[in-house]
Structure formats: structure tokens, C-alpha cells
Amino acid sequence: MKVGIWIDEHINPAVGGGFSYATQLVQRIDAHTFPEHIDVVFVSYQHGLESFQKEVVHLKESKRELPLVQRVVHQIANRFYRFRKKAAALKAKRDALRQDETTAQLKAQKIDLVYYMSQMQQYVSDYPFITTNWDVAHLSMPPFPEIVDKGELKRRRVWYDYTLPKATAVFVESEAGKQELIDLVKVDPDKVFIVPLFPGGIVTLDVPDKEQHEILEQFGLQPETFMFYPAQFWKHKNHDTLVKAFGQFHQEFPNVKLVFSGSDKGNLKEVQQLVQTLGIADQVSFLGFISNEALHTLYRHAIALVMPTFLGPTNMPPLEAASLGCPVLCSDFDGHREQLGNGAIYFDPASEESINKALLKIMDPEVRTALIANANEVRETSTFTSRHALDCIHQHFLTIHNTVFASS
């Protein structure tokens, strides 16, 4: 069985430290020895991938176009709303022609199966594939704007109704994720395999004490005087409920700050306005996008990570925080409990009171010390590691070979 690991622009093996999940996993796959009957290669339209140890199949990206007359019709139809369906049909025809050329290249390389490492990713239609699934947000969360947006919702429905069920296998990030997918999507349970989420390379980053001090000084922060939430400003990240809870908490601990990092995805102004309305602007910091060194430093020196997201079932920041000795307060999801056990304090993300109680509780130094000790104990036997993720991929490839390809 020959497996092609698809490398796109989001996966860069040359990035030092391998901060993204996919990059780290690719690096481990590249260094791993699989059984002789399982040939693993990388496939990509990109060039400049010489750093791989394993073979790289460089695909030639097709530029094939429709016949001239059809191209002209497409250009004209695309300008008028009433003819958009015709334009879309012609575009689909052109894309199919281009995919036929990619399919031919994959077949020529005798690749049996393509493994996509990102959610809802499929570059070659109707070619045997393994997909990755992190969440079923459109089915498991309230109807937030970023999910029910017409284009996004349609894309998700097409994917989960028609594309994902065709996958040879689906790799999910946890037992909770597996159960959620099986419960909410029509997928064969025997096709769903766990490849656990693990902390980003941020946790192994070496940031000298002097640099950490300078980073804190740059942000106007002192060690253990702030709560930290690194998340882009999507509505489902639930910054507003945290701000309201912090407003209550602020009455008892007026010198503690709340620090946000992350880019604006449409909800930043609303959160900033809420902060102003509650009169806590001096105690809430919006840092925007920050460097990996800054992220590492803030984890190291925060009173706690506070993550009230509505999206699960698992997330990477709780694993990163716990790895760096930062106490974790997070949404009470089965996946989070699977990740951290008794090494975190859990709350109802929809409840200001529940979040406030967690914030008050973590201010006790003895509680923080005990929580860090619990998290360290959980980590000693945790399956949420890059090493275990690779072991799972190895075993899943064997299972797929034996059940799908051995007799062919």
C-alpha cells in the first residue's frame, strides 16, 4: 500500500521548531520507518521540499482550460446573477478536467491512498483518501455567524453529507471526537480512527529569562498578575461571557488583569465595547497577534489559562498551558476532560457565574499548586503526545492495509 501525505502551503517542514500540529506530525512521519509493505511518500504541488528524508512526489499543477467558446461563455455568465448557475457549471467542468490530470499523476506514481492532514481538505475528487476531522461545529454549537454564514454552512453540509462518508478512513483527535462524529454524522464507525491532538512546538521553545522579562515589560505585565486567553476573535470563542465574568471577579481582585491575544475575525470591536461599558478597560489588554516567544512567555507567567470556547471537543491551548506549568480553566467538554483529567478546573462556558467561580478559585495559591501537580501527573501517562499520535498512524495504516488493500 502506497500512501501519499498531501503537503500544502500550510505545512512547511523547513520551519524551525515545527509550531503547527501538521508540521510536527509531518516531521515525525518523515523520520519514521514503516513496514516494507507500507510505502509512505509526500505529494505536493509545491517545490522547495528538499529537506524531506522520504520521497517527495512533485505534482504538476494543471492549467488546463475549457475550449475558447466555453471560456467566453463562462466570463459573460459570471457577470450576471441570473446566469451564475451556468458559470458555476462551466467552472466545475474546468476543475474536473484539471483534477483528471492530477489523478493521472497519482496513478502513474502508483499511489493507493492520499492522506489529508487538515479538516475538510480534498484536492482530488473520487481518489481514495484519509481525511482529518477536528470538529462538527455546525452541528454541535449554537448558530454563530462564522458557522451559519451561507457559504460556510453550505460547504460544511456538502462535506459532511457527501464527501466525508466516501473516505477510506477518518482520523479524529480524541475518543470524544470519535463519538461526536459517529453520533452526528452518517459515517461508518469502523472507518473512524483516533490520532490524538498534542501540544504545539511552542512548549519546547527555549526563551531565555531575560527575553521573557523584556516581553512582559513590553506588554506592561508582571508575573502571576494576569489571566490569559489566546484565541482569535470569533464569536464562538466566547470572549464576551469571559469579560462579563471577569467584571464580577474584578470587584474582588481589582489588580488582576485579563489578557487576550489573537487576530480579529469580526468580533473584536464588540468585545472592546463591552470592556468599556463595564468600566474595566484598564484591566483588560488586547495584544493582537503575538510571536511564539511571547505566547510561550505568557503561558509561563499567567495565573491561569482561561478558555471559555464553545468549540470542542478538544483544543490545543489547554495542552500547551499544562505543559508549561500554567493552571488551566476551560469549558467542561468530554474532550477537555479526556485531555487533562483532574489537571484542570472546568466550567460551563455559557454561565458567567460558573466562569467567575473558577476565576475566584484559582486565586488560591494552594489550589494552583495542586492543579499543576495534577496536570503533571496526567501528562506522565497522557496519550495526547506527538509520539503517540505517530504510533496511532502507524497502526492505522496497518489496519487499513489489512482490511482494504491486502486482498487487492
Side-chain angles (χ1 to χ4, degrees), residues 90-109:
L90 288 169
K91 180 180 181 299
K93 183 177 179 180
R94 182 203 65 190
D95 292 346
L97 291 172
R98 292 180 176 183
Q99 289 208 6
D100 285 346
E101 291 189 4
T102 302
T103 297
Q105 293 178 68
L106 293 172
K107 288 182 177 179
Q109 293 290 332

Side-chain angles (χ1 to χ4, degrees), residues 81-124:
Y81 182 81
R82 63 185 296 183
F83 297 117
R84 286 289 169 85
K85 286 187 177 180
K86 178 63 175 178
L90 288 169
K91 180 180 181 299
K93 183 177 179 180
R94 182 203 65 190
D95 292 346
L97 291 172
R98 292 180 176 183
Q99 289 208 6
D100 285 346
E101 291 189 4
T102 302
T103 297
Q105 293 178 68
L106 293 172
K107 288 182 177 179
Q109 293 290 332
K110 295 182 168 42
I111 292 172
D112 299 298
L113 191 62
V114 177
Y115 171 23
Y116 299 106
M117 307 184 76
S118 298
Q119 179 158 312
M120 291 193 292
Q121 185 182 66
Q122 187 195 35
Y123 290 110
V124 189

Side-chain angles (χ1 to χ4, degrees), residues 94-397:
R94 182 203 65 190
D95 292 346
L97 291 172
R98 292 180 176 183
Q99 289 208 6
D100 285 346
E101 291 189 4
T102 302
T103 297
Q105 293 178 68
L106 293 172
K107 288 182 177 179
Q109 293 290 332
K110 295 182 168 42
I111 292 172
D112 299 298
L113 191 62
V114 177
Y115 171 23
Y116 299 106
M117 307 184 76
S118 298
Q119 179 158 312
M120 291 193 292
Q121 185 182 66
Q122 187 195 35
Y123 290 110
V124 189
S125 299
D126 299 323
Y127 203 93
F129 69 103
I130 298 170
T131 187
T132 298
N133 195 76
W134 304 125
D135 63 75
V136 283
H138 63 301
L139 300 174
S140 63
M141 289 199 311
F144 294 114
E146 57 268 24
I147 299 299
V148 298
D149 169 82
K150 186 176 180 181
E152 174 64 15
L153 187 59
K154 180 179 179 180
R155 188 169 75 97
R156 281 180 169 265
R157 284 177 172 168
V158 169
W159 175 261
Y160 286 99
D161 289 348
Y162 301 105
T163 307
L164 182 140
K166 298 177 183 178
T168 301
V170 183
F171 288 176
V172 298
E173 82 320 333
S174 64
E175 288 284 356
K178 178 177 181 177
Q179 194 58 53
E180 183 178 77
L181 184 67
I182 292 170
D183 288 346
L184 299 178
V185 177
K186 186 182 293 185
V187 58
D188 182 353
D190 292 336
K191 290 184 176 182
V192 184
F193 302 90
I194 297 171
V195 176
L197 193 67
F198 51 82
I202 194 85
V203 303
T204 57
L205 192 63
D206 182 18
V207 185
D209 290 344
K210 181 181 178 182
E211 185 176 348
Q212 292 188 46
H213 175 76
E214 291 171 349
I215 289 170
L216 291 176
E217 191 174 63
Q218 173 192 345
F219 293 142
L221 300 171
Q222 295 292 326
E224 296 191 2
T225 62
F226 61 94
M227 306 289 184
F228 182 42
Y229 185 24
Q232 299 191 88
F233 283 84
W234 298 104
K235 187 70 173 176
H236 72 264
K237 293 298 186 179
N238 201 24
H239 293 83
D240 49 353
T241 307
L242 174 55
V243 166
K244 292 173 185 176
F246 183 78
Q248 299 176 36
F249 167 85
H250 174 69
Q251 296 174 21
E252 296 197 39
F253 292 94
N255 295 321
V256 174
K257 289 189 174 184
L258 176 60
V259 176
F260 294 125
S261 70
S263 305
D264 182 20
K265 295 297 182 179
N267 199 46
L268 176 59
K269 287 185 179 179
E270 180 179 325
V271 177
Q272 290 175 326
Q273 182 59 54
L274 178 60
V275 167
Q276 292 289 340
T277 300
L278 294 176
I280 54 175
D282 289 342
Q283 295 306 113
V284 181
S285 297
F286 297 89
L287 305 184
F289 178 81
I290 61 176
S291 68
N292 290 309
E293 290 77 11
L295 180 58
H296 177 101
T297 298
L298 294 178
Y299 277 137
R300 284 283 190 192
H301 296 286
I303 296 171
L305 165 74
V306 188
M307 188 163 192
T309 181
F310 281 109
L311 181 60
T314 60
N315 283 283
M316 194 177 288
L319 293 174
E320 293 176 336
S323 296
L324 292 172
C326 177
V328 176
L329 317 178
C330 60
S331 303
D332 192 356
F333 298 152
D334 288 345
H336 282 168
R337 288 184 178 271
E338 189 179 333
Q339 286 180 304
L340 294 178
N342 65 349
I345 293 174
Y346 304 98
F347 52 72
D348 176 0
S351 168
E352 298 169 33
E353 187 60 32
S354 181
I355 298 174
N356 181 44
K357 285 181 179 179
L359 293 173
L360 293 171
K361 187 174 182 178
I362 203 63
M363 290 305 297
D364 184 336
E366 292 185 1
V367 171
R368 293 204 296 277
T369 299
L371 198 63
I372 291 171
N374 289 345
N376 288 337
E377 186 176 338
V378 169
R379 285 174 55 234
E380 289 179 2
T381 58
S382 177
T383 60
F384 291 90
T385 67
S386 61
R387 180 184 298 275
H388 186 68
L390 181 62
D391 290 343
C392 289
I393 289 174
H394 180 110
Q395 186 56 53
H396 299 337
F397 282 177

